[in-house]
């Protein structure tokens, strides 16, 4: 393990793919040194529907990220939607040899392996193992048993599994772009690493990533992911409503949404505004798009507002339905571009939810936009769970679907950051 080890995250989204390059420096922890983005139409609602388009977009984002970071990227950690991931509660047990033997990282590794049961994986693969609690000689609720004395170590954990078909498609797409998939990370876990504060994770919060085609909702409490929900609605629905309602093409609707948002702008005296110049900067195919438009912005905002209100109402409904509403209702963190980037959306959220959502951004310069939170989070999640160095020489984290034994003193080790309690999943 040399210094300046590189971790790369690849977010395959409905509107774009992004690659973020992180480097682990000497004293100052993780730095983001490269970001590459490319528009992508090969992904829909968390499913790859066009492999060639997706691979092409990944290759082009990779080029940009490598150029900016001046690093050659061989492997990436990739997002996977909660739509595809199943949680299986499991238990493992190992005996600690000797009288009152001391529990080591190696025992933690062994007991984690024991939670993998063959019946979990007929047509699926294990993505990650999230510890709920360790139990030493019958005493439970232990977060980190290393260094404790005992004769029997148990682990209760949530094993994350996804279908082989879904995983293979992602892997093939990434491989066609010249990259190896080092691991697949559940979206809300990655987002949380990028944008949630320790307090929010501990005291409870709802993390909502509204993207272009979908919404991923994760509920955190006491540092654990308690609940996830995939919702098939995103920012594209706002643009689509606008396109249908104003009888304009989708690209122009998208431009109007981004430029005018839900309120405030310079309108002509008659309340309309000429948006033909918006077309000018884009290459639109239809001739009619080259004609000047007079768009009624008030009408456009009415249409957008109705959809945004509905989206927040769905989010509110899902929080309530999770059963965690009362405990975590005090904090909603919004990320992804679909609502967090839309001017005026926070105020609508406040009205509908009864509280002001916070916009979740990563702190890394060059990647602070909510549309990059997931790609940054993929890197940070791996950094926090695998690479942060401790006094031991053992890496026990399963992310990446394989454990590696490390003998070097400076090797990455298991850091039991996210302990899991997922009782009432889905
Ligand atoms: N300035 C803006 N104003 C309004 N909406 C915006 C703005 N910038 C981006 N968006 C919207 O954000 C969405 C894209 O967000 P994001 O990049 O998080 O999605 P994605 O990750 O590609 O998709 P998904 O997560 O659904 O697969 C699009 O719907 C886009 O219209
Ligand atoms: Mg996304």
């Amino acid at each position: 393990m040399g210094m300046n080890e590189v971790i790369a995250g690849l977010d395959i989204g409905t509107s774009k793919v992004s690659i973020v390059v992180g480097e682990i420096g000497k004293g100052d922890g993780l730095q983001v040194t490269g970001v590459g983005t490319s528009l992508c139409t090969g992904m829909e609602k968390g499913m790859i529907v066009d492999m060639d388009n997706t691979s092409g977009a990944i290759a082009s984002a990779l080029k940009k990220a490598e150029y900016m970071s001046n690093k050659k990227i061989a492997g990436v950690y990739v997002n996977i939607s909660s739509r595809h991931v199943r949680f299986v509660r499991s238990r493992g047990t190992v005996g600690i040899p000797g009288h009152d033997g001391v529990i080591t990282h190696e025992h933690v590794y062994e007991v984690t392996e024991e939670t993998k049961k063959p019946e979990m994986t007929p047509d699926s693969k294990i993505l990650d193992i999230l510890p709920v609690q360790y139990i030493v000689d019958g005493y439970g609720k232990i977060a980190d048993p290393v260094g404790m004395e005992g004769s029997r170590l148990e682990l209760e954990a949530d094993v994350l599994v996804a279908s082989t078909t879904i995983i293979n498609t992602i892997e093939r797409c990434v491989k066609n772009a010249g990259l190896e998939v080092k691991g697949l990370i559940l979206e809300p876990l990655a987002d949380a690493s990028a944008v949630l504060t320790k307090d929010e994770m501990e005291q409870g919060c709802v993390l909502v990533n509204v993207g272009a085609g979908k919404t991923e909702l994760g509920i955190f409490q006491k540092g654990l992911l308690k609940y996830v929900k995939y919702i098939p609605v995103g920012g594209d629905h706002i643009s689509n409503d606008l396109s249908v309602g104003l009888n304009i093409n989708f690209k122009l609707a998208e431009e109007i949404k981004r430029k005018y948002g839900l309120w405030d702008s310079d309108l002509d005296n008659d309340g309309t505004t000429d948006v033909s110049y918006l077309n000018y900067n884009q290459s639109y195919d239809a001739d009619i798009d080259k004609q000047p438009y007079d768009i009624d912005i008030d009408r456009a905002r009415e249409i957008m507002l109705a959809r945004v209100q509905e989206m927040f109402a769905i989010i509110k409904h899902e929080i309530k339905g999770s059963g965690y509403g009362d405990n975590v209702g005090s904090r909603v963190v919004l990320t992804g571009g679909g609502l967090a980037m839309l001017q005026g959306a926070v105020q609508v959220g406040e009205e509908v939810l009864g509280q002001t959502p916070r916009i979740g951004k990563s702190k890394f310069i060059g990647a602070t936009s909510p549309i990059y939170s997931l790609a940054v989070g993929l890197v940070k999640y791996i950094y926090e769970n695998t690479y942060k160095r401790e006094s031991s020489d053992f890496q026990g984290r399963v992310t990446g679907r394989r454990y590696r034994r490390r003998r070097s003193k400076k090797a990455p080790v298991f850091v039991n950051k996210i302990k899991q309690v997922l009782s009432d999943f889905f």
Side-chain angles (χ1 to χ4, degrees), residues 277-408:
Y277 71 94
L278 287 178
N279 274 335
Y280 233 73
N281 298 327
Q282 306 271 326
S283 48
Y284 292 103
D285 8 35
D287 264 356
I288 187 152
D289 293 336
K290 309 241 163 56
Q291 305 300 315
Y293 278 100
D294 269 341
I295 297 284
D296 182 343
I297 296 299
D298 284 345
R299 175 76 192 117
R301 287 182 172 149
E302 250 172 56
I303 294 167
M304 291 192 282
L305 181 64
R307 175 62 84 164
V308 172
Q309 281 170 332
E310 189 197 59
M311 287 164 78
F312 277 114
I314 293 169
I315 291 166
K316 187 181 181 180
H317 176 81
E318 292 297 347
I319 296 171
K320 209 168 168 214
S322 74
Y324 288 97
D326 292 341
N327 303 321
V328 294
S330 56
R331 181 63 110 179
V332 173
V333 179
L334 203 56
T335 192
L339 288 177
M341 294 291 286
L342 179 69
Q343 184 188 237
V346 166
Q347 287 81 347
V348 179
E350 189 178 350
E351 273 166 33
V352 177
L353 301 171
Q355 54 155 305
T356 315
R358 178 175 83 78
I359 303 292
K361 300 173 174 187
S362 91
K363 65 176 172 53
F364 293 104
I365 297 151
T368 55
S369 165
I371 70 169
Y372 294 131
S373 69
L374 182 56
V376 171
L378 294 166
V379 172
K380 239 188 134 199
Y381 181 80
I382 292 302
Y383 173 69
E384 285 173 347
N385 288 288
T386 312
Y387 280 78
K388 267 195 179 167
R389 277 139 211 190
E390 290 211 324
S391 54
S392 155
D393 63 351
F394 205 81
Q395 174 189 7
R397 190 73 197 177
V398 72
T399 302
R401 302 186 315 282
R402 66 184 77 97
Y403 287 99
R404 283 172 296 162
R405 276 159 194 266
R406 295 283 188 163
R407 289 302 171 199
S408 139

Side-chain angles (χ1 to χ4, degrees), residues 103 105 108 111-112 130-136 139-148 153-156 202 222-224 390 397 414-420:
I103 296 167
H105 283 280
V108 171
V111 80
T112 308
L130 309 177
V132 175
Q133 62 166 341
Y134 292 92
I135 302 154
V136 178
Y139 293 95
K141 296 200 171 150
I142 294 167
D144 183 1
V146 172
M148 291 182 178
L153 173 66
E154 290 170 84
L155 169 61
E156 189 185 358
E202 277 302 315
K222 299 198 174 103
L224 312 169
E390 290 211 324
R397 190 73 197 177
F414 180 77
V415 179
N416 186 11
K417 262 278 151 64
I418 300 178
K419 306 128 211 150
Q420 290 299 315

Side-chain angles (χ1 to χ4, degrees), residues 11-16 79 187 191 209-214 216 336-337 370-371 373-374:
D11 170 14
I12 309 175
T14 307
S15 67
K16 48 94 181 79
N79 62 311
E187 291 199 14
D191 268 329
N209 183 316
V210 183
K214 64 175 172 65
E216 305 256 340
I371 70 169
S373 69
L374 182 56

Side-chain angles (χ1 to χ4, degrees), residues 103-118:
I103 296 167
T104 64
H105 283 280
E106 191 130 4
H107 296 126
V108 171
Y109 161 75
E110 282 165 11
V111 80
T112 308
E113 283 291 297
E114 288 298 316
T115 63
K116 297 178 174 178
K117 303 286 192 286

